[in-house]
Amino acid sequence: MEELDGEPTVTLIPGVNSKKNQMYFDWGPGEMLVCETSFNKKEKSEMVPSCPFIYIIRKDVDVYSQILRKLFNESHGIFLGLQRIDEELTGKSRKSQLVRVSKNYRSVIRACMEEMHQVAIAAKDPANGRQFSSQVSILSAMELIWNLCEILFIEVAPAGPLLLHLLDWVRLHVCEVDSLSADVLGSENPSKHDSFWNLVTILVLQGRLDEARQMLSKEADASPASAGICRIMGDLMRTMPILSPGNTQTLTELELKWQHWHEECERYLQDSTFATSPHLESLLKIMLGDEAALLEQKELLSNWYHFLVTRLLYSNPTVKPIDLHYYAQSSLDLFLGGESSPEPLDNILLAAFEFDIHQVIKECSIALSNWWFVAHLTDLLDHCKLLQSHNLYFGSNMREFLLLEYASGLFAHPSLWQLGVDYFDYCPELGRVSLELHIERIPLNTEQKALKVLRICEQRQMTEQAILLLTSHTGDVGLWTPRVRSICKILAMKAVRNNRLGSALSWSIRAKDAAFATLVSDRFLRDYCERGCFSDLDLIDNLGPAMMLSDRLTFLGKYREFHRMYGEKRFADAASLLLSLMTSRIAPRSFWMTLLTDALPLLEQKQVIFSAEQTYELMRCLEDLTSRRPVHGESDTEQLQDDDIETTKVEMLRLSLARNLARAIIREGSLEGS
């Protein structure tokens, strides 16, 4: 069993006394609804809760930050690129690619941090300014930790280059020296500036000895009396052995040179060469790695890991990675001096120097406000083959567990959920089932969003998976169905309610819902009867095989085809199609009168269109329709008027049919006689 990290933090609900009143809560995918309830109250006189509010408690509020959304979006592309790195790559080529990915992640963090810093400066509301500044500090800490993990776990720098990487790490994250340098050098007499020696000391503490020598040359020019000792100090700084990236000397050679240089510094200290200048003597003690002298500069060092790197630079520049944890722990203890306890950041850095990857991830998970950092760092370390042996006891490994948590948080956002889909895809154990559970809770507010959900489901062959989808956020009754095609049904129903018949028909066809397609087709036909024309002609004209989904849809498509033939003056084809729609009984009986009325112009053509046999069929249909007309009860005025119109239509049809029959018989008889 995993050991407990301690008691969880308590979230206080404003205006609620949880000791006296009971609370109601309901979990959602990324948040929880909380309110006070009057359930089981002893005082029946007080039926109204003292806190009549409903609170939404979100577990991952960072996804709603506009600036951090850029972090999530940019890192998503880096994550996908990392998953596609060829597993066959080994050695330096694979390592260089992983280091490049790590640097890309850090550049995204730094870009967001700089943007957040600008927003904090420009914030007019002090509270917002403090909030943004706090977020800047968190991003800075994230980049600090990631950079150290990159040096220790990904680059795996050996002794010698290790210290160079650590120096760059400190210089990157302790950057106050640059503004101080600009301030001092911008003055009329830099050597007389109040912060001159602070600047020189900081440059030495960071190992920037060339810049420190340049500053000392200004002191020598301004004070001829100290020019000699400034030149000696400058020579010591210039000759200090440091393993440069392009240097081919071995560690043994470097250690020998460094030992000789260190002994030379000792002689100058023993000879009191710099006794006349306390500042230079203090610099010499720092360069000798004197811990007391270093601790005197606590304010300039600002933190214990800066103290650690400076201490290593001037006491053990060829430190081996395996010895880092000893120096790190002792530097932390010396720097804090028992006056304060380590902060969470201190514990994380200390765990990194101890090469305890799992402790780093655990401490970051506790300290940071979202899962972005630990999910992406763990994924990268897993690609470095550093987490292969660490499986969790509940069926997943650490990488997958953290990616699942991060992706779940993304699904709480109305647009970032699309990024979460890809993270689920790269979780082989539980990713698919997690995606199914989360995608069912996506509110389908728009057709565009529904199409995205459908495309995601179809690409992953989730068509037959059991998912539940809520219709909308408009207050309509939710329709819950067990298949992905239910998305189409839901949107078809919404389109019908909004009288968007074309969209409704498209969705019902996609859902392969014959019953609903019939309903929508009936609405199309009803609209045609009322308006005399079809809407969404492009859709109806291009139904193709989809019209076979239901008889009513087939009729709609064929009826539209009849109108197209008539418009093209293909009267014989139009007449045959019209008759087949009635005799095949594919046309709804309620629409027969409309079809017979459509036959009138064809019956009145100069040329005989309907044959005698076809005319008999039309007559039979008319008589069948009139003989089975429903019997109404008491009719109001409007009903009587409708009956008069129907009677007139029937009389006109009978007359036209009789005339056409006579013409057809004469014509057919003439043809037979000839």
Side-chain angles (χ1 to χ4, degrees):
M1 291 291 291
E2 299 280 344
E3 60 176 311
L4 295 176
D5 299 321
E7 291 295 326
T9 57
V10 176
T11 301
L12 297 176
I13 309 298
V16 173
N17 186 346
S18 58
K19 294 181 180 179
K20 292 184 178 181
N21 302 316
Q22 295 193 14
M23 302 298 297
Y24 167 82
F25 65 91
D26 189 21
W27 290 102
E31 55 196 20
M32 181 173 64
L33 293 178
V34 179
C35 63
E36 181 186 332
T37 177
S38 57
F39 175 75
N40 202 22
K41 274 184 172 288
K42 294 181 179 179
E43 302 85 358
K44 295 188 177 181
S45 59
E46 186 185 356
M47 295 303 295
V48 180
S50 59
C51 181
F53 298 105
I54 296 178
Y55 290 92
I56 299 176
I57 301 177
R58 292 183 172 131
K59 69 174 184 178
D60 197 349
V61 296
D62 288 342
V63 296
Y64 295 93
S65 167
Q66 290 293 329
I67 297 175
L68 291 182
R69 281 184 63 183
K70 296 180 181 179
L71 174 68
F72 302 144
N73 281 306
E74 293 293 331
S75 59
H76 169 255
I78 301 172
F79 171 83
L80 293 181
L82 175 59
Q83 311 313 306
R84 301 185 186 111
I85 286 183
D86 192 349
E87 289 292 335
E88 296 179 0
L89 291 176
T90 57
K92 291 184 178 180
S93 59
R94 180 175 178 82
K95 177 181 174 181
S96 63
Q97 282 199 349
L98 293 172
V99 171
R100 176 177 53 80
V101 169
S102 179
K103 292 182 184 297
N104 288 341
Y105 275 128
R106 286 201 296 115
S107 67
V108 172
I109 298 174
R110 183 158 286 274
C112 287
M113 180 176 64
E114 291 174 356
E115 184 175 353
M116 190 77 75
H117 179 65
Q118 295 301 320
V119 172
I121 294 174
K124 297 180 180 179
D125 184 4
N128 288 339
R130 288 191 296 271
Q131 182 180 358
F132 289 130
S133 297
S134 174
Q135 194 66 59
V136 170
S137 300
I138 293 172
L139 289 170
S140 177
M142 287 165 58
E143 210 257 334
L144 177 76
I145 299 165
W146 193 299
N147 196 353
L148 181 60
C149 291
E150 178 185 301
I151 294 168
L152 300 179
F153 305 138
I154 303 173
E155 291 202 25
V156 197
L162 173 61
L163 185 63
L164 295 180
H165 287 301
L166 291 176
L167 280 171
D168 290 337
W169 175 61
V170 165
R171 292 166 185 169
L172 181 63
H173 297 282
V174 183
C175 50
E176 294 84 356
V177 62
D178 295 322
S179 58
L180 182 61
S181 176
D183 188 29
V184 171
L185 293 175
S187 62
E188 294 182 3
N189 191 348
S191 64
K192 301 301 181 183
H193 194 280
D194 293 340
S195 301
F196 175 80
W197 287 108
N198 281 348
L199 174 60
V200 176
T201 304
I202 293 176
L203 291 172
V204 172
L205 290 172
Q206 291 193 7
R208 299 163 66 168
L209 298 182
D210 289 339
E211 296 173 64
R213 284 171 49 223
Q214 293 175 7
M215 298 303 298
L216 286 178
S217 66
K218 297 184 181 300
E219 169 66 13
D221 294 339
S223 303
S226 60
I229 55 177
C230 284
R231 185 172 59 256
I232 295 172
M233 178 60 71
D235 290 340
L236 289 175
M237 292 178 179
R238 179 177 53 80
T239 57
M240 178 182 175
I242 296 179
L243 185 65
S244 58
N247 202 327
T248 58
Q249 63 182 337
T250 64
L251 285 180
T252 303
E253 293 173 339
L254 176 65
E255 288 173 348
L256 287 173
K257 291 180 179 178
W258 187 86
Q259 190 62 39
H260 289 311
W261 175 83
H262 193 268
E263 290 171 357
E264 184 179 3
C265 292
E266 283 279 6
R267 284 196 298 272
Y268 281 119
L269 182 63
Q270 292 172 2
D271 295 344
S272 301
T273 304
F274 302 101
T276 57
S277 176
H279 293 297
L280 291 176
E281 190 171 46
S282 175
L283 292 178
L284 182 62
K285 290 179 180 179
I286 290 172
M287 292 164 62
L288 283 167
D290 185 276
E291 291 179 358
L294 286 171
L295 290 173
E296 287 178 1
Q297 309 299 332
K298 261 190 177 185
E299 291 187 5
L300 299 180
L301 287 166
S302 71
N303 52 63
W304 68 271
Y305 47 88
H306 189 183
F307 169 63
L308 162 67
V309 176
T310 303
R311 180 186 175 197
L312 290 173
L313 174 64
Y314 295 117
S315 62
N316 189 2
T318 58
V319 62
K320 298 177 181 178
I322 197 172
D323 296 326
L324 273 180
H325 71 94
Y326 161 74
Y327 284 101
Q329 184 64 64
S330 60
S331 296
L332 177 61
D333 294 339
L334 287 169
F335 196 82
L336 297 181
E339 298 176 2
S340 59
S341 301
E343 297 288 334
L345 176 60
D346 301 329
N347 294 328
I348 295 169
L349 297 178
L350 192 61
F353 282 121
E354 293 173 353
F355 288 87
D356 190 344
I357 297 176
H358 303 120
Q359 189 64 25
V360 170
I361 295 170
K362 179 179 177 181
E363 294 285 349
C364 289
S365 300
I366 296 171
L368 298 176
S369 58
N370 63 71
W371 295 101
W372 179 89
F373 181 85
V374 288
H376 290 86
L377 179 61
T378 304
D379 175 63
L380 180 57
L381 295 177
D382 185 72
H383 278 80
C384 296
K385 312 296 183 185
L386 297 174
L387 297 172
Q388 304 301 312
S389 62
H390 193 79
N391 289 324
L392 304 178
Y393 62 86
F394 45 81
S396 180
N397 58 42
M398 181 179 288
R399 170 192 173 273
E400 180 162 325
F401 170 76
L402 294 172
L403 286 177
L404 290 173
E405 287 294 325
Y406 173 64
S408 299
L410 292 178
F411 263 80
H413 192 274
S415 62
L416 291 178
W417 64 270
Q418 298 171 75
L419 307 182
V421 172
D422 290 324
Y423 288 94
F424 281 136
D425 283 344
Y426 288 101
C427 295
E429 295 292 329
L430 302 175
R432 182 177 177 86
V433 67
S434 297
L435 177 58
E436 293 169 6
L437 292 172
H438 280 82
I439 209 166
E440 72 182 30
R441 294 178 171 86
I442 298 176
L444 304 179
N445 304 325
T446 64
E447 290 189 9
Q448 183 182 9
K449 193 171 184 180
L451 284 170
K452 289 179 181 178
V453 174
L454 277 174
R455 186 165 56 251
I456 288 168
C457 294
E458 290 169 355
Q459 288 171 349
R460 290 154 183 81
Q461 298 179 346
M462 292 168 59
T463 307
E464 299 302 324
Q465 298 298 327
I467 63 172
L468 301 174
L469 297 158
L470 187 60
T471 54
S472 67
H473 66 291
T474 59
D476 296 336
V477 177
L479 176 65
W480 300 84
T481 56
R483 299 181 186 278
V484 169
R485 62 171 58 103
S486 63
I487 302 172
C488 305
K489 295 180 183 179
I490 290 165
L491 291 166
M493 292 183 68
K494 290 175 65 178
V496 166
R497 285 197 293 268
N498 295 325
N499 203 33
R500 292 164 47 238
L501 299 182
S503 177
L505 183 59
S506 176
W507 283 114
S508 60
I509 291 172
R510 188 160 188 168
K512 294 180 172 55
D513 188 339
F516 204 81
T518 299
L519 184 148
V520 178
S521 300
D522 282 337
R523 285 286 300 271
F524 266 105
L525 295 173
R526 191 192 315 162
D527 276 9
Y528 172 78
C529 292
E530 293 174 355
R531 298 164 51 194
C533 62
F534 282 113
S535 60
D536 300 285
L537 287 179
D538 288 342
L539 175 62
I540 301 174
D541 286 343
N542 295 282
L543 285 174
M547 73 169 64
M548 305 305 294
L549 180 62
S550 77
D551 288 348
R552 197 61 45 80
L553 185 57
T554 303
F555 170 72
L556 176 64
K558 290 296 183 181
Y559 185 56
R560 167 56 191 158
E561 187 177 345
F562 160 76
H563 278 276
R564 191 165 58 249
M565 290 177 176
Y566 187 88
E568 295 169 357
K569 300 187 182 306
R570 294 161 54 194
F571 297 136
D573 293 337
S576 298
L577 179 56
L578 182 67
L579 186 61
S580 68
L581 290 177
M582 298 186 68
T583 56
S584 65
R585 297 297 193 265
I586 195 174
R589 182 173 294 275
S590 60
F591 208 74
W592 278 19
M593 182 56 72
T594 303
L595 293 176
L596 289 168
T597 305
D598 287 334
L600 273 174
L602 296 173
L603 293 170
E604 298 298 329
Q605 292 288 328
K606 291 182 179 180
Q607 181 183 359
V608 177
I609 305 298
F610 288 102
S611 66
E613 183 180 355
Q614 289 176 325
T615 307
Y616 279 125
E617 289 291 340
L618 289 174
M619 285 178 166
R620 188 160 44 248
C621 290
L622 178 60
E623 294 306 317
D624 190 20
L625 177 63
T626 55
S627 64
R628 298 188 182 184
R629 290 179 67 189
V631 179
H632 297 282
E634 295 184 3
S635 301
D636 54 17
T637 305
E638 185 178 349
Q639 183 63 48
L640 288 172
Q641 291 175 352
D642 290 342
D643 288 344
D644 290 341
I645 294 172
E646 291 294 311
T647 302
T648 304
K649 284 183 180 179
V650 170
E651 291 176 354
M652 290 177 61
L653 282 168
R654 283 176 176 158
L655 180 61
S656 293
L657 287 168
R659 259 198 316 258
N660 188 81
L661 180 60
R663 293 165 59 201
I665 291 173
I666 294 171
R667 181 174 178 274
E668 291 171 8
S670 303
L671 291 174
E672 288 178 4
S674 63

